[in-house]
Amino acid sequence: MATTDYVPLPTPAKFHASMASRRWNVGGLGSSKSRPLVEELWKLGAKYQGLRALVVRKTFPSLQESTMRFFEERCPRELIESENKQEHKKVMYNGSTYLFRSFENAEMIGKVMSDEFDVIAIDELGDFKEEEVRKIEYRKRKGIQKSIYAGNSSGQDWSYEKFYPGEDTLCPHFQTCSLFRQDWCKRPVQRMVTREIEIDGKMVQQTFEMFVTCTKENPYLPPEYIAELQMLPDDEKKRYFYCSFDIFVGQIYSEWNDHVHLVDVFDIPEDWKRYRILDHGVGHPTAVLWMAVNPEGFAFFYDEHYKKSETPDYHAPYIHAKSHDAEWRGQSLADPHIFDRTQVGKKDEGQVACRHSVADLYRAKGLVWRKADNAKEVGKLQVKQYLKVYPNLRHPLTGELGSPMAFVLKGRCPNLVRQIKGLKYKPDSEEWVDVEDDTTDCARYGLMALPRVVEKKIIVPGRMTYRDLYAHVDGLEGDNFRMGYRRGRMIGI
């Protein structure tokens, strides 16, 4: 029996009150996401005569067991005139129609391409690719044109980028969050942004608004359920309990946090060591990062150059300018592949010898590089070590306890920040997804030139042995560690 005794939680109440053309209610487990979506759907149908709504979820089992069941429970039965269970269609007495569809592949999406709708509702938005949602959105006709979404956080993916760049309101539970010294919870609970969207060949302004609810906001959840979620590993707890956008499935550098690793711009002291690091691309963009290291070993990435489909002739002037070459006394590191004098030839030719390498082309423009350490797995661990927050380490700028070893100056390296947050593993694999990783490769090369990180707190002064060190260095194994130890390339924290 359907009931209408619905009192929304504070954040979903703002979702209902919003006049934005695209609204996204996103939250942690048990935070009430699908229910506000369904409540909004049936009330829109009751308000607007003849409204046509398309209700979407990725798979049919999830559509049937969650979204459709919620709709049947919440929509008053007296409003429904007829329903076709075979077509998953419901019609109200005022002519408003609801079609429930799952879109597990492109063929299923194509089945609705000939129809038009006033409202598009997508449950679990993070399950869809951007191009899939775009195809679905094409079916909105002139009129009400509302899009309402619900779902869990899926990290800083395409959906987050659509909604994020706007005015924000910080998490109301910021003062009570304990993880990461509370800093990571400075994530938005409400964002609004206006974008221009092309409709029928014309650019039309539309508003996007995001509403974020952490599990804590729902006071009706059983204490046992809350206790179970609180026992999750930190990364899962951040995503599924607090609805953090800094964590998603398969994320490689889960240590990254905007509020920890991004620091205000400041003048780099002249006596700090400096590095410029190149990852030259042909099909991929060419990336260059500039890194400074203070006397205590903290690394600061302070500038970048990023451009696709250009030659060394194009990049060289930009690298010289950003390096202030008249004053440059730092090291220049590059992907070892640019020193190769071979390239892939035509079919069946294999490797073909070349007269010049890419490094030679840069050298002709006054840029001399040396080979960076390109050990991918060890390099990944090195980056993670520098991003990790060490509770007993004082922040180099604020002096507060709890600090990583690597930072990025705000606004100076946007592509590095974007890529380091988006780099992930393939499902059920240790291989990386083939996405843009040009700046993260530069960061890896740069940090591999620095000492390994060792937590001093686990070493007894005066009794430091090889066994002590070997047993307590996170992520470093066997020969990789022994080589670093013999060379004395470690930082004690």
Side-chain angles (χ1 to χ4, degrees):
M1 182 67 182
T3 59
T4 57
D5 54 342
Y6 169 64
V7 179
L9 298 175
T11 301
K14 297 176 183 177
F15 168 79
H16 292 304
S18 172
M19 300 300 293
S21 51
R22 284 174 169 81
R23 289 175 279 166
W24 183 20
N25 184 36
V26 57
L29 295 177
S31 63
S32 182
K33 301 178 297 295
S34 295
R35 184 171 176 180
L37 179 83
V38 167
E39 293 283 348
E40 188 73 13
L41 271 173
W42 77 256
K43 289 177 181 178
L44 283 171
K47 180 178 180 180
Y48 297 102
Q49 183 177 352
L51 176 138
R52 289 182 58 78
L54 176 65
V55 188
V56 178
R57 193 147 177 172
K58 188 68 174 179
T59 66
F60 182 74
S62 60
L63 175 72
Q64 186 178 43
E65 296 166 11
S66 180
T67 317
M68 291 177 65
R69 178 175 61 84
F70 264 125
F71 191 90
E72 291 172 358
E73 290 177 356
R74 303 308 306 171
C75 179
R77 292 295 304 168
E78 58 270 19
L79 295 180
I80 302 298
E81 179 184 30
S82 64
E83 59 181 309
N84 187 324
K85 293 190 175 181
Q86 186 174 358
E87 295 184 2
H88 310 298
K89 179 179 179 180
K90 297 181 185 293
V91 182
M92 288 183 167
Y93 279 101
N94 66 356
S96 292
T97 303
Y98 298 88
L99 288 180
F100 294 84
R101 294 288 184 267
S102 61
F103 291 137
E104 299 182 50
N105 53 53
E107 181 182 351
M108 301 177 105
I109 295 177
K111 290 181 179 179
V112 299
M113 293 303 286
S114 60
D115 212 337
E116 291 185 334
F117 302 91
D118 300 296
V119 174
I120 304 290
I122 301 179
D123 203 356
E124 290 300 340
L125 181 65
D127 292 343
F128 291 83
K129 297 178 181 178
E130 183 176 11
E131 55 268 27
E132 293 175 334
V133 173
R134 191 183 300 118
K135 288 180 180 179
I136 296 170
E137 293 279 356
Y138 284 158
R139 304 324 305 156
K140 285 196 297 188
R141 64 184 180 185
K142 295 178 180 179
I144 302 172
Q145 287 198 346
K146 294 283 185 182
S147 292
I148 52 178
Y149 313 122
N152 293 112
S153 161
S154 53
Q156 298 187 14
D157 60 357
W158 69 268
S159 56
Y160 179 82
E161 291 180 358
K162 285 285 186 184
F163 284 83
Y164 184 78
E167 298 178 359
D168 68 336
T169 304
L170 294 183
C171 172
H173 302 290
F174 166 62
Q175 296 299 334
T176 59
C177 293
S178 58
L179 295 176
F180 262 83
R181 299 175 56 251
Q182 302 180 0
D183 287 338
W184 73 269
C185 200
K186 290 182 180 178
R187 86 284 192 276
V189 294
Q190 187 175 348
R191 302 283 302 203
M192 176 177 281
V193 60
T194 301
R195 295 183 181 279
E196 285 194 343
I197 306 295
E198 185 175 350
I199 300 177
D200 296 332
K202 297 180 180 179
M203 300 306 293
V204 179
Q205 282 196 344
Q206 296 203 343
T207 49
F208 292 70
E209 192 161 17
M210 175 175 69
F211 303 86
V212 184
T213 311
C214 76
T215 304
K216 268 186 168 182
E217 191 173 320
N218 189 347
Y220 307 110
L221 293 175
E224 299 80 10
Y225 182 72
I226 296 291
E228 185 176 344
L229 292 180
Q230 292 279 21
M231 294 175 64
L232 291 171
D234 280 357
D235 285 354
E236 294 183 29
K237 182 159 46 174
K238 291 173 193 175
R239 181 185 179 197
Y240 294 116
F241 188 82
Y242 292 105
C243 195
S244 169
F245 288 90
D246 292 330
I247 303 294
F248 57 88
V249 175
Q251 185 178 19
I252 292 178
Y253 297 122
S254 57
E255 296 83 2
W256 177 269
N257 184 307
D258 283 354
H259 303 286
V260 172
H261 296 96
L262 291 177
V263 296
D264 292 333
V265 175
F266 63 95
D267 293 331
I268 305 293
E270 293 183 3
D271 62 336
W272 286 16
K273 294 181 180 179
R274 302 197 185 216
Y275 300 78
R276 57 186 177 193
I277 311 111
L278 167 72
D279 185 72
H280 181 82
V282 180
H284 284 270
T286 290
V288 184
L289 285 184
W290 281 262
M291 178 180 76
V293 181
N294 76 358
E296 288 75 38
F298 291 92
F300 296 83
F301 293 98
Y302 64 90
D303 209 346
E304 73 173 19
H305 167 69
Y306 191 80
K307 186 68 176 179
K308 187 176 182 179
S309 303
E310 294 292 351
T311 66
D313 287 354
Y314 173 89
H315 299 301
Y318 290 94
I319 298 173
H320 283 302
K322 292 199 171 196
S323 300
H324 304 290
D325 267 8
E327 307 168 10
W328 183 254
R329 296 293 184 272
Q331 297 189 40
S332 301
L333 307 174
D335 179 358
H337 290 106
I338 73 166
F339 296 89
D340 294 342
R341 284 194 169 91
T342 59
Q343 66 179 15
V344 178
K346 297 180 180 179
K347 187 177 181 180
D348 300 327
E349 288 184 354
Q351 294 289 326
V352 177
C354 301
R355 184 176 180 181
H356 300 291
S357 67
V358 173
D360 292 332
L361 301 180
Y362 277 104
R363 183 187 293 271
K365 294 297 178 180
L367 291 167
V368 179
W369 306 95
R370 69 179 181 87
K371 294 181 180 180
D373 188 338
N374 193 21
K376 192 169 185 179
E377 286 301 316
V378 178
K380 176 194 72 177
L381 294 173
Q382 177 79 335
V383 175
K384 292 172 77 68
Q385 285 292 102
Y386 270 79
L387 293 179
K388 178 181 176 181
V389 172
Y390 297 90
N392 293 335
L393 180 65
R394 290 200 177 275
H395 195 285
L397 302 180
T398 67
E400 296 179 358
L401 283 176
S403 174
M405 290 290 296
F407 303 89
V408 178
L409 270 59
K410 290 181 181 178
R412 291 290 185 85
C413 306
N415 291 291
L416 173 61
V417 174
R418 173 176 59 85
Q419 291 181 11
I420 206 166
K421 291 192 290 190
L423 202 60
K424 60 182 180 180
Y425 294 108
K426 294 179 180 178
D428 303 317
S429 172
E430 288 298 313
E431 295 183 30
W432 301 10
V433 174
D434 187 19
V435 295
E436 289 183 311
D437 59 359
D438 316 280
T439 56
T440 55
D441 282 348
C442 289
R444 177 162 55 87
Y445 302 151
L447 294 177
M448 280 295 284
L450 304 184
R452 309 291 189 259
V453 180
V454 178
E455 290 193 66
K456 189 182 293 184
K457 65 179 182 179
I458 51 84
I459 300 173
V460 180
R463 298 176 61 187
M464 183 175 67
T465 66
Y466 172 82
R467 184 179 297 276
D468 292 327
L469 288 170
Y470 182 81
H472 294 285
V473 177
D474 294 337
L476 296 177
E477 300 177 356
D479 292 336
N480 294 323
F481 170 75
R482 285 193 286 272
M483 178 177 67
Y485 173 67
R486 284 199 301 268
R487 294 178 181 176
R489 298 177 64 246
M490 292 183 289
I491 296 176
I493 293 176

